[in-house]
Amino acid sequence: MGKHVIVGAGQAGGHLAERLAGQGHDVVVVTRSGSGPEGVERVAADVTDRARLTRIAQGADALYNCVNPKYHRWAQDWPPMAASFLGAAEETGAVLVMLGNLYGYGPVDGPMTEDLPLAATGTKGRVRAKMWEDALAAHKAGRIRATELRGSDYYGPHSTDQSYIGQTRFVKPLLAGKRVSYLSDPSVPHSWTYLPDVAEALAIAGTDERAWGRPWHIPTGPAVSALEVAERLCEIAGAPKPRLYEVPYPVVHAAGWFLPMAKELRETRYQFDKPFILDSSAFESTFGMAPTPLDDALRTIVAASRKSEGSGN
């Protein structure tokens, strides 16, 4: 068993910490406030403080970047954090495992594979692309060992209100029989990555040297529309038939003048206007990990939602 340092205790970092701790590893979770799940060491630190992060990561086998800055501040917040991660990984020898996304590819036609060029022209896509390009360059130069795991939009227990089909904005209102707004056409096929699968893939990447030196797509099930997800969710839960409605694009666009989050969504709108499909066959075949079937995931989500309601949360 080894020491694993996870920076970020949000929807992915929390799942990862619990999984690694359950496997018997020593787990340290780093956040600005010192929050995190029970059963692990929790440390309060500013990730941009390279010296502090390096001290925390001393003796670590792996250092995981599971941070998620505010959406509208990526261009300002990511570069100093990314530089700190690179420095800490180089000084400690810990494998740097980056939790990435698909923004770096930009708009594509057809399923996305890891060999696609990072051709994004938008701000957020270029930020993410440069983070991996810098890490890969350091890996090739022998300064660090690094890998990046990329998933599509998350869903599952503990998903935040930023998730299109997450607990707050999608699951709970549907189970309550309420109408749910969707910021694009809900009938367009889309890849959704299940959060426990994110944690499992990250844990593999931090402990298996075959993962290092290249990016991977997190095992993700076949693309389905948000409407199909809603229908299966409600059928499994015995809830009323789902009522999804598309928010017209002019409304979303206008909201961007007042809401930073809505403004940022303009850049990634392409991901929802036509089929957005992730191919994760490389990771699946290499490491023998299959994505959780949609119905199994939805049963877990329904059970978690009911447990949360029963506890008053």
Side-chain angles (χ1 to χ4, degrees):
M1 298 296 102
K3 175 181 176 180
H4 294 256
V5 176
I6 304 166
V7 183
Q11 52 186 351
H15 278 286
L16 175 60
E18 292 172 350
R19 178 171 292 275
L20 287 171
Q23 293 173 348
H25 295 286
D26 293 328
V27 178
V28 180
V29 173
V30 182
T31 64
R32 185 179 291 274
S33 64
S35 62
E38 298 293 331
V40 303
E41 181 181 352
R42 293 173 288 186
V43 177
D46 179 352
V47 71
T48 63
D49 185 340
R50 172 175 168 169
R52 172 83 164 127
L53 183 60
T54 298
R55 287 194 296 272
I56 295 168
Q58 286 293 340
D61 296 275
L63 172 63
Y64 301 84
N65 179 353
C66 295
V67 181
N68 188 25
K70 291 186 181 299
Y71 208 53
H72 66 285
R73 288 194 52 85
W74 277 23
Q76 295 80 24
D77 291 351
W78 262 130
M81 288 194 288
S84 184
F85 275 107
L86 289 179
E90 183 171 1
E91 292 187 41
T92 64
V95 176
L96 176 58
V97 182
M98 300 165 58
L99 178 56
N101 54 39
L102 307 175
Y103 289 13
Y105 300 129
V108 300
D109 292 316
M112 287 166 281
T113 54
E114 295 93 331
D115 58 356
L116 285 174
L118 297 177
T121 57
T123 300
K124 287 182 290 299
R126 288 313 310 158
V127 166
R128 286 301 323 196
K130 188 174 189 310
M131 287 174 61
W132 171 241
E133 290 163 352
D134 289 347
L136 182 59
H139 178 98
K140 290 180 175 179
R143 292 165 38 213
I144 67 171
R145 296 168 297 164
T147 183
E148 180 172 81
L149 271 64
R150 300 167 184 163
S152 192
D153 292 86
Y154 298 149
Y155 77 110
H158 310 310
S159 53
T160 68
D161 58 1
Q162 292 186 19
S163 173
Y164 275 73
I165 60 170
Q167 301 294 103
T168 305
R169 69 157 63 175
F170 191 83
V171 173
K172 288 184 177 180
L174 284 176
L175 297 186
K178 298 178 181 179
R179 284 211 314 164
V180 171
S181 62
Y182 193 75
L183 299 183
S184 189
D185 182 351
S187 67
V188 174
H190 194 90
S191 288
W192 309 100
T193 304
Y194 187 50
L195 280 165
D197 291 343
V198 175
E200 182 175 352
L202 286 168
I204 290 172
T207 55
D208 192 324
E209 63 182 24
R210 292 177 297 170
W212 308 338
R214 58 157 289 178
W216 300 89
H217 287 167
I218 297 168
T220 297
V224 295
S225 70
L227 181 58
E228 291 177 88
V229 174
E231 290 172 344
R232 288 300 301 139
L233 174 75
C234 292
E235 184 175 343
I236 287 169
K241 185 176 180 179
R243 295 182 294 157
L244 264 64
Y245 69 95
E246 177 181 356
V247 179
Y249 179 70
V251 174
V252 179
H253 184 83
W257 293 105
F258 310 99
L259 302 173
M261 182 69 174
K263 180 180 180 181
E264 297 302 315
L265 290 174
R266 298 173 186 171
E267 183 183 323
T268 55
R269 173 82 182 199
Y270 67 87
Q271 298 178 2
F272 296 90
D273 286 340
K274 64 179 184 178
F276 192 72
I277 302 171
L278 178 150
D279 180 340
S280 58
S281 58
F283 194 99
E284 294 175 41
S285 61
T286 301
F287 300 102
M289 177 187 165
T292 301
L294 177 63
D295 279 9
D296 290 351
L298 293 178
R299 291 187 186 98
T300 299
I301 289 168
V302 169
S305 181
R306 287 175 172 164
K307 181 179 180 181
S308 175
E309 290 177 359
S311 64
N313 293 331

